[in-house]
Amino acid sequence: MVTPTNQGPAPLLVLAKISDILDSFSLARPELTLAEIRDSTGLPTSTVQRLVGNLVGHGFIDRVDDRYRIGVRMAYWAAPATRGMEVLDIIGPLLKSLRDSTGETTCFFKAEQHYRVCVAMAETRHALRREMHLGKILPLHAGSAGRVLLAWDAELMDAVMRDPLESITDSTITTSEDLEAAVKQTRTDGFAITVGERDDGASGLSAPVFDSAAALVGAVAISGPTLRMTRETCESWVEPLLATAENMTRLIGGRFPGEV
């Protein structure tokens, strides 16, 4: 009779721990120390050191001095999984997941001419909702998604600045100076939060999604009534929004500006 020997954790248990480690990283926290990974995962220090070392050795994670980040090589591995799939097929499930976690309507906007168009969405289940539908055409100078689309497209920004900025609500930006400042801040922050710019009593927050050339594909957005989406609530959703935008970017084989 052969007596089983203890040769370490079962393979599936190891995969779960590796998944927890990789899930620690997000667009809001792209670089982490071993201590931060340990705090995020709750794994013992020795386990984190061993698994992170193995992940670095195989290219899943890159080391930058005493910090770590998701390996750029993973973007190339992700590309074959989504090759041949339409971008909207890929991002649809992520929009639904973000909708389920926040409870509010989530959308994906692309720039068309001097406007933005809703090309995908997952609608809130709340009875009180902000009106949105596929194909809806909206101005670029009002709202968080428009702010994001302008922040990473200089030519589009120049084109919009040549036209008068229509006042839609009392909170709509109508001067080129204010729009330039808001767009610059969005690029610095990596996201945009707006309140009442397009609809009175409505809020939104958006983040960019990029393709393999680090060019802007579109903006993922969360929107809803301000009575549910206060400024504080919007700020608390920045990290899941950025994580969703990052997942979308990776799944379509994209990369962020500045990445090799």
Side-chain angles (χ1 to χ4, degrees):
M1 179 176 179
V2 178
T3 302
T5 57
N6 184 6
Q7 297 181 343
L12 289 179
L13 181 57
V14 172
L15 288 175
K17 292 177 179 178
I18 289 174
S19 179
D20 288 342
I21 289 173
L22 295 176
D23 284 343
S24 299
F25 298 89
S26 68
L27 189 56
R29 302 178 68 202
E31 294 188 359
L32 300 171
T33 64
L34 285 174
E36 289 170 334
I37 295 173
R38 179 199 62 206
D39 293 342
S40 176
T41 61
L43 295 172
T45 300
S46 59
T47 300
V48 171
Q49 290 175 333
R50 175 172 55 83
L51 293 179
V52 168
N54 288 333
L55 290 169
V56 170
H58 287 83
F60 286 90
I61 289 177
D62 292 336
R63 181 170 182 171
V64 184
D65 296 325
D66 64 339
R67 305 180 73 82
Y68 300 84
R69 62 183 299 127
I70 295 294
V72 175
R73 187 178 175 191
M74 289 191 71
Y76 296 98
W77 291 336
T82 56
R83 186 173 179 82
M85 295 178 64
E86 294 291 336
V87 170
L88 298 184
D89 292 335
I90 296 170
I91 68 174
L94 293 175
L95 285 177
K96 291 178 181 177
S97 178
L98 185 61
R99 184 271 313 275
D100 292 343
S101 65
T102 63
E104 300 297 343
T105 296
T106 57
C107 302
F108 192 77
F109 289 93
K110 298 190 72 171
E112 294 291 346
Q113 301 300 322
H114 295 181
Y115 299 91
R116 59 183 169 105
V117 180
C118 176
V119 296
M121 67 177 291
E123 194 168 30
T124 180
R125 296 184 175 90
H126 289 295
L128 177 61
R129 62 189 66 182
R130 190 179 185 186
E131 194 281 323
M132 182 58 64
H133 60 265
L134 291 178
K136 185 162 186 175
I137 300 173
L138 299 167
L140 282 164
H141 72 286
S144 63
R147 193 73 41 80
V148 166
L149 294 174
L150 294 175
W152 280 273
D153 190 330
E155 290 185 7
L156 185 61
M157 177 65 175
D158 290 341
V160 169
M161 293 282 282
R162 289 195 292 267
D163 297 329
L165 303 179
E166 178 188 359
S167 177
I168 304 172
T169 72
D170 290 341
S171 299
T172 304
I173 291 178
T174 56
T175 69
S176 58
E177 294 80 10
D178 288 343
L179 184 60
E180 283 181 324
V183 167
K184 182 179 179 180
Q185 188 63 52
T186 294
R187 193 175 177 92
T188 298
D189 294 339
F191 64 90
I193 296 176
T194 58
V195 178
E197 288 192 6
R198 185 173 62 81
D199 294 317
D200 288 320
S203 302
L205 63 156
S206 301
V209 174
F210 300 96
D211 65 15
S212 59
L216 185 70
V217 174
V220 55
I222 308 169
S223 64
T226 302
L227 62 87
R228 289 198 304 264
M229 289 182 59
T230 62
R231 180 79 188 192
E232 182 179 9
T233 297
C234 289
E235 290 175 352
S236 73
W237 288 345
V238 167
E239 187 162 346
L241 172 72
L242 292 178
T244 298
E246 181 174 21
N247 286 339
M248 290 178 175
T249 295
R250 301 305 185 193
L251 284 174
I252 63 174
R255 62 185 177 89
F256 292 88
E259 287 186 350
V260 179

